[in-house]
Amino acid sequence: MSDRELSCTNTAGQFMDRGRMNQNGVVQPLLTDLYQITMAYAYWKSGKTDDHAVFDLFFRTNPFHGEFTIFAGLDECLKFLDSFHYSDSDIEYLKQTLPEGTENEFFDYLGNLTAKDVTLYAIDEGTVAFPRVPIIKVEGPLIIVQLLETTLLTLVNYASLMATNAARYRMVAGKHVNLLEFGLRRAQGPDGGLSASKYSYIGGFDGTSNVLAGKLFNIPVKGTHAHAYITSFSGIGELKTRLLKHKTTGVTGDLLELAVQYRQALSQLLDVSMEESSEGELAAMVSYAIAFPDGFMALVDTYDVKRSGLLNFSAVALALNDLGYRAVGVRIDSGDLAYLSCLARETFERVGENFKVPWFSKLTIVASNDINEDTILSLNEQGHKIDCFGIGTHLVTCQRQPALGCVYKLVEINGQPRIKLSQDVEKVTMPGHKNAFRLYSADGHALIDLLQKVTEPPPAVGQKVLCRHPFQESKRAYVIPSHVESLYKIYWQNGKIVQPLPRLEQVRERVQMSLKTLRNDHKRTLNPTPYKVAVSDNLYNFIHDLWLQNAPIGELS
């Protein structure tokens, strides 16, 4: 689709001088759960201000019954660390909120607290991630890294879920179909709407209807009109403007008169009675075409696509052509989308051939109307002729799974490993400060993610590595990697960001590059093959020794 297509206005890019560190004002230290602050006071009261801790941020299960997740939200996490500070009004509010008897010296401590002593490790934003492999590791003074928990989870959970959802839509739609995010009105509030626009773009969408997202994030903004515009006209007598200057000659022409003439000829060609078509719809389309002659895309399902919408649109588009303009296409928002898209394409081809307008057969067909993954798969099977999907509710609300479920767990304190046990093995944490590596097979695909203790040497290309399931003793295999990728980089250290941060467009490209490293069976929609996550032999023994040390011993009587 060309730049002009669907684009009545695109202000993205002009306003990016606001800076990439521009942050949502809602994201601040008080955007947290109360228990984080009460724990901080208890830590402080217990004299643990100098304790040094390591926390892992990870998820336990891939979303949407799939076998991959796209990591997103790192950029916002770094902005949060950069601005972390309790304001005077924050401190006053906390004094009123925490229980009576909380010592004033604690509030002085909070007032001076920043993230300068925190170190944050992460995989690159836009990278494919898998369960149990920490996507972020946070290291630093116990109190501050504890206080970061809820906000970091807030910034990563929805962002990663949204980017993953968008990436799945991109895969089922195919690379030659455009995807537009139309979900602002259905999103969970304004912040949810902005985040949905941003992370759907990262996941592979081509644009958004959200104008503010275009301004803030440099995302292409696209839009047409609603049914209300069509129904606001009841007949051609309501047209106050019907004249349009020729694009090249400047000679004024009567667009309505030309459209009415073409409508008569098209009625015979398409075997559609003019009496059945809506004059109000024709008037609305003429009006809109005069407003946007270079970006004329019309909604054609207000009354009847076959008997009214396509007839009126084609008449106005041919009239525009006589005045030197090319229409963009149509949007269909209801009905049998596969059948109607094929009907529209057939109509455009017949009109183009009959009136000797070759480009007419290539007009863009956009479909909306509560579209989800299954809808697109079904449309693919039916041989649709849709060029672009406008997707809203199912995308931005992630209806198939509304939460990713990232967690933030203490794995080490003062150099000593910590493990959380559970009768549910899936909830047992993997203790200690760890590194993660992605091992690749000879064909270039990612084969397995391997977690190791930070004290272990990294796996080497061409050398046999024993990879073990973290909790099932019999599941183990040797791997000889053809390529080894170290997953973690230090992104925040000594009070500043220490890696160059990519632009949104670059993160978007990374998503597609990272997905290409996975085998197709890992990415397929139905019954995908689970991607393997393993631990080194050393880490396996370490986990299970610690498990035995901490597990209570029962007594039978």
Side-chain angles (χ1 to χ4, degrees), residues 158 162 166 181 183-184 187 191-201 208 395-397:
Y158 181 67
M162 188 67 238
E181 177 268 310
L184 178 58
D191 289 301
L194 270 176
S195 294
S197 300
K198 178 179 181 179
Y199 294 111
S200 65
Y201 185 66
T208 178
L395 173 69
V396 303
T397 63

Side-chain angles (χ1 to χ4, degrees), residues 171-411:
M171 289 194 306
V172 298
K175 60 183 179 181
H176 299 301
V177 174
N178 277 263
L179 296 174
L180 300 178
E181 177 268 310
F182 282 177
L184 178 58
R185 65 187 63 191
R186 305 288 170 78
Q188 279 89 343
D191 289 301
L194 270 176
S195 294
S197 300
K198 178 179 181 179
Y199 294 111
S200 65
Y201 185 66
I202 282 177
F205 272 57
D206 299 289
T208 178
S209 64
N210 186 339
V211 180
L212 182 58
K215 177 183 177 182
L216 295 178
F217 307 128
N218 198 26
I219 300 172
V221 180
K222 309 288 184 179
T224 54
H225 60 78
H227 292 103
Y229 193 84
I230 300 293
T231 58
S232 70
F233 290 82
S234 59
I236 57 177
E238 296 180 16
L239 275 174
K240 294 182 172 59
T241 303
R242 48 193 285 177
L243 303 180
L244 180 65
K245 289 183 178 180
H246 193 283
K247 185 173 183 177
T248 54
T249 67
V251 176
T252 300
D254 189 323
L255 188 65
L256 175 61
E257 182 181 344
L258 287 170
V260 169
Q261 292 172 3
Y262 275 118
R263 189 164 172 249
Q264 292 175 339
L266 286 165
S267 175
Q268 296 179 356
L269 175 67
L270 303 178
D271 192 25
V272 176
S273 169
M274 286 198 300
E275 284 71 27
E276 294 183 74
S277 61
S278 167
E279 282 203 348
E281 182 181 59
L282 176 65
M285 289 185 181
V286 168
S287 170
Y288 203 76
I290 289 172
F292 300 103
D294 276 317
F296 178 52
M297 163 149 310
L299 194 57
V300 294
D301 71 310
T302 306
Y303 302 111
D304 186 288
V305 174
K306 181 177 182 179
R307 300 185 180 279
S308 186
L310 289 176
L311 174 66
N312 286 327
F313 168 81
S314 298
V316 176
L318 288 172
L320 278 174
N321 182 65
D322 283 359
L323 295 176
Y325 303 94
R326 286 190 180 185
V328 174
V330 298
R331 177 163 73 94
I332 305 169
D333 192 48
S334 62
D336 186 334
L337 297 180
Y339 164 72
L340 293 175
S341 68
C342 291
L343 174 67
R345 180 63 65 214
E346 179 187 356
T347 299
F348 296 154
E349 289 172 350
R350 290 178 64 189
V351 171
E353 182 179 2
N354 188 268
F355 290 92
K356 307 298 186 237
V357 186
W359 58 264
F360 215 89
S361 64
K362 304 296 183 183
L363 284 166
T364 297
I365 300 171
V366 178
S368 44
N369 185 30
D370 217 24
I371 290 169
N372 58 31
E373 265 190 73
D374 293 336
T375 305
I376 297 176
L377 288 168
S378 176
L379 288 168
N380 290 343
E381 292 174 354
Q382 297 174 68
H384 72 82
K385 301 298 181 182
I386 297 164
D387 302 297
C388 176
F389 289 105
I391 305 175
T393 305
H394 289 274
L395 173 69
V396 303
T397 63
C398 298
Q399 283 195 356
R400 292 183 67 183
Q401 181 176 324
L404 177 57
C406 285
V407 293
Y408 186 85
K409 297 298 181 182
L410 177 68
V411 294

